[in-house]
Amino acid sequence: MNGSKRRPNPQPLNLVLLGAPGAGKGTQGERLVRSHGLVRISTGDLLRDAVRRGTELGREAQGYMEGGELVPDSVILGLVRDLMRTGDAPGYVFDGFPRTIPQAQALEGLLEELGRSLDAVLLVEVPDDVLVKRLSGRRACAKCGAVHNVHFDPPSREGRCDACGGDLVERPDDDPETVRRRLEVYREQTRPLIEYYQDAGVPFHVVDGDRPVEQVHADLEKALAA
Ligand code: AMP
């Protein structure tokens, strides 16, 4: 057995990671995948991949994404439904999904069809000024996908990935105007999910995301163990 691998948690877990763009949902989602053996469904990553490959889904989504708007619920739900069809994942961590109340209602139905339910919603909170700085400084490697930040984690060679030497590029929706719009859309369309889930009685935990990655991860684990 590979000693460096953690044993997956035998308890199936289905989690939603909520938070604004730049809150660190992707990073924390990856950590939860490693610590609990879950499958991460990041609708943003799936859409970016579809745009890169020029598929029909990508062509449909691109304009919305570049404007900082949400892709229509019907498109997103088709995508998620396809991924969950087999139902053979030990558990899911949903990252960037749901983003609207209709998406949350649909997720409930999809989980129910698999005989599952949502175990917890984890809200990662980060102040707006920090979000703007994180998003405007974010650069991803075009080759290996590693993410750097020119403000907080500058690469040792400008424009080059520390991990593989690939080109570091800015996400097209990380420009200041689109970032402003994405934060507005989050406030208007996604934050209402906080009340929605609290009213629904789903275990709901808030963690302070304005801290080092490891501390945020430790708090998420503590919340899940509670
Ligand atoms: P993200 O990487 O999660 O910030 O997503 C990037 C962009 O993809 C968003 O600004 C939206 O345009 C689109 N997107 C991702 N997930 C969703 C979703 N669940 N509903 C609607 N649009 C989404």
Side-chain angles (χ1 to χ4, degrees):
M1 205 176 114
N2 182 346
S4 67
K5 270 196 187 151
R6 297 249 200 109
R7 276 215 358 248
N9 189 325
Q11 289 274 324
L13 260 183
N14 298 291
L15 309 172
V16 163
L17 267 175
L18 261 187
K25 299 185 299 296
T27 306
Q28 295 302 331
E30 285 296 344
R31 298 283 162 131
L32 291 169
V33 163
R34 292 211 291 273
S35 55
H36 292 274
L38 307 177
V39 169
R40 172 169 162 255
I41 294 190
S42 159
T43 42
D45 281 356
L46 292 163
L47 293 170
R48 273 185 294 281
D49 183 55
V51 169
R52 223 173 359 251
R53 290 188 292 117
T55 64
E56 195 184 326
L57 168 69
R59 286 196 299 276
E60 196 169 353
Q62 189 168 16
Y64 295 103
M65 295 171 79
E66 283 175 1
E69 304 295 336
L70 294 187
V71 173
D73 288 339
S74 57
V75 175
I76 297 291
L77 291 171
L79 184 64
V80 175
R81 193 173 290 122
D82 267 2
L83 283 168
M84 292 177 67
R85 201 193 305 276
T86 57
D88 54 4
Y92 295 100
V93 53
F94 298 96
D95 159 4
F97 171 85
R99 260 172 152 103
T100 63
I101 288 176
Q103 288 182 19
Q105 290 165 333
L107 173 61
E108 235 171 273
L110 288 172
L111 286 168
E112 217 171 275
E113 281 168 29
L114 299 175
R116 301 175 186 216
S117 59
L118 209 51
D119 295 289
V121 175
L122 305 165
L123 171 65
V124 183
E125 287 272 54
V126 173
D128 269 12
D129 56 331
V130 179
L131 293 173
V132 169
K133 207 165 169 197
R134 282 189 186 178
L135 293 168
S136 64
R138 183 158 70 176
R139 304 285 183 275
C141 175
K143 208 160 132 197
C144 75
V147 179
H148 297 259
N149 191 295
V150 294
H151 305 305
F152 303 115
D153 171 29
S156 38
R157 277 188 303 151
E158 203 185 321
R160 296 261 160 241
C161 174
D162 280 347
C164 76
D167 279 341
L168 290 180
V169 293
E170 191 175 4
R171 252 172 66 167
D173 58 350
D174 278 347
D175 69 284
E177 196 189 321
T178 314
V179 163
R180 256 195 310 278
R181 181 63 193 144
R182 286 164 66 201
L183 293 177
E184 239 170 57
V185 166
Y186 171 73
R187 269 191 298 275
E188 289 164 7
Q189 301 191 52
T190 306
R191 272 194 84 87
L193 286 177
I194 297 174
E195 215 180 308
Y196 173 85
Y197 278 124
Q198 285 175 333
D199 288 351
V202 178
F204 190 94
H205 307 278
V206 186
V207 304
D208 175 2
D210 187 15
R211 287 162 328 125
V213 170
E214 285 309 329
Q215 282 178 31
V216 178
H217 175 70
D219 273 6
L220 290 173
E221 293 291 356
K222 222 182 291 164
L224 288 175

